[in-house]
Amino acid sequence: MGKEWALVLFTLLAQMSVGLMVVAQALNLKQREGLKPVLLWVGILMAASMVVSLGHLGSPLGAPRAIFNLKTSWLSREIFFSASFFVLWLVNYYLELRTQAGEGVKAISGWLAGFCGILALISMANIYVHTILPAWETAYTHLVFYTTALVLGAILYAVLAYRNRQEGQQGMLKITGILTVIGVALQLLSLPPYLASLSAGPVAAQETARLLLGAAPVLIFSQALAVLGGIVFTFLALRAYGEKGSLLTGQWLYGALALLVLAELASRYLFYATGVSITIGQF
Amino acid sequence: MAGQLGFHVQQDRCIGCFTCQIACKDKNDLEVGQLFRRVREIAGGGYTETGNNAFRADVYAYWISLSCNHCQDPPCVKNCPTGAMQKRPEDGIVFVDQNKCIGCRYCVWSCPYGAPQYNPQIGKVGKCDFCRDLLAKGEQPACVAACPMRVLDFGPLDELKKKYGGTNQIKGLPDPNTTKPSILITPHRDAALGK
Ligand code: SF4
Ligand code: SF4
């Protein structure tokens, strides 16, 4: 489908934002103090993603009209839930920072926002599943979108939480590490069946598989970075922490974040670049 | 109510002269790279050696002229987030209201026939609207009127069916079950399924 940079960045930023929100809620069930430094980034990422998404539209000024067909269009639903996620995030952020509201109210508003974010991700995946492009219309799209949210959300949470609380982080590092590894592993494991099913599919699917294999260096690069960042670096960060080399822990975490962002960027680029229409020769 | 409108393509008579494509391009004033109706050649087959340096030729080629098929279950309409892409209830014509279109191109990703055409100059999508302005004046769509071989015809789908028979699936076209295209084709002998 050519180089859809606006969509590459929009989907990644939105998934990172939702992932961060949900991981942050889940890891702060008992005490909400740890949330504050993290929440600001949820909003920044989501705001950036929505601005970038306008770059895809031929007539960006009409963007608000994109929610007029909630009844049948997953694209409408995606925009609706993304915007709602942002508004609910604002409410939650305000409650957490500026009011004396009870823990329960804060938690509910946080989870509501997270839930809306998840609905936005589900709608986002369904947009692609409901096209006629073999590269996109499989369950692989669902898997990749959700695991990207998990991986980027968990690693960014680890970085932000680590930066802001220096003591007693072992548990947090372990859990975020495990979440990242699960996400990376699922992505790696789903790639071979995806490639195999494309190669066995109709002409346009085979063309997608051929493009993917032609881009093998990018494909291998992205998977290698994911393994290095998501598995090796997170493990090293945890080990460094255990050995009281706190300084190193931070560096490994930053490294992991950088590698994982690059890895997801490369594979998302391929996702769009390999969208081949079944209408061969335009018919 | 006239019922669902559709096109009939007498494909076995098409000589690939591109007159319909050009008439459409002219009528809709389209830039290079955008076509609401296209004529495509589909070719295949080869030579098989039958022994003693003899070969049997089973090459084939045929033309197909296609526009939007004003499908009865149109994914372009279902997926369009703004409601710009719509299906007219009285005759089933599928058209874009460009005042509402935001150029997201989701319809382009949804149509198995490559019918919606993105126009980068105005940042919106355009497509065949069955020349509804001409129909309103009692005239024929530009492509139908232009074809020198009388390949193209149009009308309520059930009437076309009675008049010509025909099929909505030939070799080289996507599966009609997903969108239910309002098209009837009297196939070229090499285009018919099962040949
Ligand atoms: S041919 Fe394509 S654009 Fe036309 S109605 Fe069918 S799906 Fe929509
Ligand atoms: S490009 Fe226009 S007509 Fe097509 S889906 Fe988007 S808003 Fe609808």
Side-chain angles (χ1 to χ4, degrees), chain A residues 6 53-63 66 75, chain B residues 102-105 118 123:
Chain A
S53 75
L54 295 179
H56 168 69
L57 298 184
S59 308
L61 291 180
L75 180 49
Chain B
I102 56 173
C104 69
R105 282 161 277 173
Y118 182 62

Side-chain angles (χ1 to χ4, degrees), chain A residues 57 75, chain B residues 76 79-85 95-97 100-108 110 116 118 123-125:
Chain A
L57 298 184
L75 180 49
Chain B
C76 55
N79 286 345
C80 172
T82 61
M85 188 69 84
F95 68 100
V96 195
D97 177 349
K100 291 189 186 159
C101 174
I102 56 173
C104 69
R105 282 161 277 173
Y106 196 14
C107 52
V108 177
S110 311
Y118 182 62
K124 288 164 192 285
V125 153

Side-chain angles (χ1 to χ4, degrees), chain A residues 13-255:
Chain A
L13 288 168
Q15 284 159 18
M16 198 171 191
S17 173
V18 172
L20 183 61
M21 186 70 178
V22 174
V23 170
Q25 299 302 319
L27 293 193
N28 288 275
L29 290 177
K30 303 243 167 54
Q31 56 104 11
R32 304 191 65 75
E33 260 318 289
L35 273 176
K36 290 180 187 167
V38 176
L39 281 182
L40 179 63
W41 281 97
V42 172
I44 293 177
L45 289 170
M46 198 59 199
S49 91
M50 293 195 299
V51 171
V52 171
S53 75
L54 295 179
H56 168 69
L57 298 184
S59 308
L61 291 180
R65 285 200 296 274
I67 56 163
F68 285 178
N69 191 10
L70 291 171
K71 217 171 108 201
T72 60
S73 173
W74 282 106
L75 180 49
S76 276
R77 293 170 192 161
E78 176 212 47
I79 307 292
F80 176 76
F81 288 124
S82 299
S84 309
F85 171 63
F86 189 75
V87 171
L88 289 173
W89 164 81
L90 256 181
V91 171
N92 175 245
Y93 191 56
Y94 179 79
L95 288 176
E96 299 278 0
L97 286 199
R98 308 233 180 275
T99 67
Q100 300 303 315
E103 297 275 293
V105 175
K106 291 178 179 171
I108 290 175
S109 71
W111 276 111
L112 264 182
F115 181 65
C116 222
I118 292 174
L119 291 181
L121 292 195
I122 294 174
S123 309
M124 192 184 282
N126 270 308
I127 291 177
Y128 297 92
V129 170
H130 287 82
T131 63
I132 43 123
L133 284 76
W136 298 348
E137 58 179 358
T138 67
Y140 181 73
T141 303
H142 282 290
L143 191 125
V144 163
F145 279 19
Y146 308 149
T147 50
T148 300
L150 180 68
V151 167
L152 295 182
I155 194 67
L156 184 58
Y157 180 82
V159 167
L160 292 172
Y162 182 78
R163 213 174 56 175
N164 289 288
R165 277 188 299 172
Q166 292 302 324
E167 290 305 314
Q169 305 251 55
Q170 192 120 21
M172 181 280 287
L173 286 175
K174 246 189 211 151
I175 296 178
T176 49
I178 290 173
L179 292 179
T180 315
V181 170
I182 291 176
V184 168
L186 282 175
Q187 291 189 356
L188 280 176
L189 291 177
S190 61
L191 195 58
Y194 172 64
L195 281 174
S197 76
L198 283 177
S199 320
V203 186
Q206 289 171 23
E207 179 62 14
T208 303
R210 205 186 56 77
L211 280 176
L212 269 174
L213 293 177
V218 184
L219 193 63
I220 293 168
F221 172 77
S222 73
Q223 304 305 312
L225 285 185
V227 171
L228 201 60
I231 300 178
V232 180
F233 277 34
T234 48
F235 173 75
L236 288 174
L238 191 63
R239 205 178 63 172
Y241 189 82
E243 290 166 357
K244 296 271 170 261
S246 314
L247 192 67
L248 274 181
T249 307
Q251 283 170 0
W252 286 123
L253 282 181
Y254 276 114

